[in-house]
mmCIF file of all heavy atoms in Angstrom:
data_model
loop_
_atom_site.group_PDB
_atom_site.id
_atom_site.type_symbol
_atom_site.label_atom_id
_atom_site.label_comp_id
_atom_site.label_asym_id
_atom_site.label_seq_id
_atom_site.Cartn_x
_atom_site.Cartn_y
_atom_site.Cartn_z
ATOM 1 N N LYS A 99 33.853 51.450 -185.864
ATOM 2 C CA LYS A 99 32.571 50.858 -186.230
ATOM 3 C C LYS A 99 32.469 50.815 -187.744
ATOM 4 O O LYS A 99 32.969 51.694 -188.444
ATOM 5 C CB LYS A 99 31.387 51.685 -185.673
ATOM 6 C CG LYS A 99 31.307 51.699 -184.168
ATOM 7 C CD LYS A 99 30.944 50.343 -183.615
ATOM 8 C CE LYS A 99 30.904 50.338 -182.108
ATOM 9 N NZ LYS A 99 30.583 49.034 -181.555
ATOM 10 N N ASP A 100 31.826 49.787 -188.234
ATOM 11 C CA ASP A 100 31.551 49.700 -189.658
ATOM 12 C C ASP A 100 30.358 50.603 -189.957
ATOM 13 O O ASP A 100 29.438 50.709 -189.141
ATOM 14 C CB ASP A 100 31.236 48.253 -190.041
ATOM 15 C CG ASP A 100 31.150 48.068 -191.525
ATOM 16 O OD1 ASP A 100 32.211 47.904 -192.162
ATOM 17 O OD2 ASP A 100 30.022 48.114 -192.039
ATOM 18 N N GLU A 101 30.374 51.237 -191.107
ATOM 19 C CA GLU A 101 29.283 52.131 -191.507
ATOM 20 C C GLU A 101 27.917 51.450 -191.395
ATOM 21 O O GLU A 101 26.922 52.061 -191.037
ATOM 22 C CB GLU A 101 29.517 52.608 -192.937
ATOM 23 C CG GLU A 101 28.602 53.695 -193.385
ATOM 24 C CD GLU A 101 29.210 55.074 -193.280
ATOM 25 O OE1 GLU A 101 30.443 55.203 -193.327
ATOM 26 O OE2 GLU A 101 28.422 56.016 -193.140
ATOM 27 N N SER A 102 27.886 50.145 -191.653
ATOM 28 C CA SER A 102 26.627 49.400 -191.597
ATOM 29 C C SER A 102 26.085 49.267 -190.171
ATOM 30 O O SER A 102 24.914 48.937 -189.982
ATOM 31 C CB SER A 102 26.811 48.013 -192.213
ATOM 32 O OG SER A 102 27.716 47.247 -191.437
ATOM 33 N N GLN A 103 26.923 49.524 -189.169
ATOM 34 C CA GLN A 103 26.484 49.432 -187.777
ATOM 35 C C GLN A 103 25.722 50.678 -187.318
ATOM 36 O O GLN A 103 25.066 50.642 -186.281
ATOM 37 C CB GLN A 103 27.686 49.188 -186.860
ATOM 38 C CG GLN A 103 28.311 47.822 -187.060
ATOM 39 C CD GLN A 103 29.538 47.652 -186.201
ATOM 40 O OE1 GLN A 103 30.592 48.228 -186.462
ATOM 41 N NE2 GLN A 103 29.395 46.852 -185.147
ATOM 42 N N LEU A 104 25.826 51.757 -188.070
ATOM 43 C CA LEU A 104 25.061 52.955 -187.737
ATOM 44 C C LEU A 104 23.633 52.776 -188.209
ATOM 45 O O LEU A 104 23.399 52.265 -189.299
ATOM 46 C CB LEU A 104 25.678 54.185 -188.400
ATOM 47 C CG LEU A 104 26.898 54.719 -187.665
ATOM 48 C CD1 LEU A 104 28.158 54.272 -188.358
ATOM 49 C CD2 LEU A 104 26.836 56.209 -187.576
ATOM 50 N N GLN A 105 22.695 53.171 -187.360
ATOM 51 C CA GLN A 105 21.287 53.010 -187.710
ATOM 52 C C GLN A 105 20.499 54.260 -187.362
ATOM 53 O O GLN A 105 20.913 55.052 -186.525
ATOM 54 C CB GLN A 105 20.714 51.786 -187.013
ATOM 55 C CG GLN A 105 20.916 51.767 -185.507
ATOM 56 C CD GLN A 105 20.543 50.442 -184.903
ATOM 57 O OE1 GLN A 105 19.376 50.188 -184.704
ATOM 58 N NE2 GLN A 105 21.518 49.609 -184.621
ATOM 59 N N SER A 106 19.386 54.412 -188.016
ATOM 60 C CA SER A 106 18.533 55.575 -187.791
ATOM 61 C C SER A 106 18.070 55.610 -186.334
ATOM 62 O O SER A 106 17.789 54.574 -185.733
ATOM 63 C CB SER A 106 17.317 55.510 -188.712
ATOM 64 O OG SER A 106 16.393 56.513 -188.349
ATOM 65 N N SER A 107 17.977 56.819 -185.800
ATOM 66 C CA SER A 107 17.467 56.969 -184.435
ATOM 67 C C SER A 107 15.943 56.876 -184.429
ATOM 68 O O SER A 107 15.336 56.800 -183.375
ATOM 69 C CB SER A 107 17.893 58.320 -183.855
ATOM 70 O OG SER A 107 17.246 59.376 -184.557
ATOM 71 N N GLY A 108 15.344 56.926 -185.620
ATOM 72 C CA GLY A 108 13.890 56.869 -185.722
ATOM 73 C C GLY A 108 13.229 58.224 -185.661
ATOM 74 O O GLY A 108 12.022 58.343 -185.777
ATOM 75 N N MET A 109 14.046 59.283 -185.468
ATOM 76 C CA MET A 109 13.499 60.640 -185.371
ATOM 77 C C MET A 109 14.378 61.609 -186.150
ATOM 78 O O MET A 109 15.587 61.422 -186.216
ATOM 79 C CB MET A 109 13.458 61.117 -183.920
ATOM 80 C CG MET A 109 12.677 60.244 -182.991
ATOM 81 S SD MET A 109 12.857 60.857 -181.325
ATOM 82 C CE MET A 109 11.282 61.596 -181.107
ATOM 83 N N GLN A 110 13.771 62.629 -186.698
ATOM 84 C CA GLN A 110 14.508 63.724 -187.312
ATOM 85 C C GLN A 110 13.876 65.008 -186.806
ATOM 86 O O GLN A 110 12.807 65.399 -187.259
ATOM 87 C CB GLN A 110 14.451 63.642 -188.842
ATOM 88 C CG GLN A 110 15.302 64.677 -189.542
ATOM 89 C CD GLN A 110 16.789 64.547 -189.210
ATOM 90 O OE1 GLN A 110 17.343 63.458 -189.172
ATOM 91 N NE2 GLN A 110 17.436 65.666 -188.942
ATOM 92 N N LEU A 111 14.536 65.634 -185.845
ATOM 93 C CA LEU A 111 13.986 66.826 -185.206
ATOM 94 C C LEU A 111 14.416 68.089 -185.940
ATOM 95 O O LEU A 111 15.602 68.259 -186.226
ATOM 96 C CB LEU A 111 14.447 66.896 -183.746
ATOM 97 C CG LEU A 111 14.096 65.684 -182.881
ATOM 98 C CD1 LEU A 111 14.739 65.799 -181.513
ATOM 99 C CD2 LEU A 111 12.592 65.554 -182.750
ATOM 100 N N GLU A 112 13.466 68.961 -186.213
ATOM 101 C CA GLU A 112 13.769 70.221 -186.881
ATOM 102 C C GLU A 112 14.728 71.066 -186.066
ATOM 103 O O GLU A 112 15.569 71.765 -186.613
ATOM 104 C CB GLU A 112 12.481 71.020 -187.108
ATOM 105 C CG GLU A 112 11.978 70.972 -188.520
ATOM 106 C CD GLU A 112 10.757 71.847 -188.702
ATOM 107 O OE1 GLU A 112 10.843 73.070 -188.472
ATOM 108 O OE2 GLU A 112 9.720 71.279 -189.080
#
Side-chain angles (χ1 to χ4, degrees):
K99 295 292 178 181
D100 189 83
E101 190 98 26
S102 65
Q103 292 177 287
L104 281 101
Q105 54 190 280
S106 171
S107 67
M109 303 175 105
Q110 185 61 43
L111 303 173
E112 257 184 60

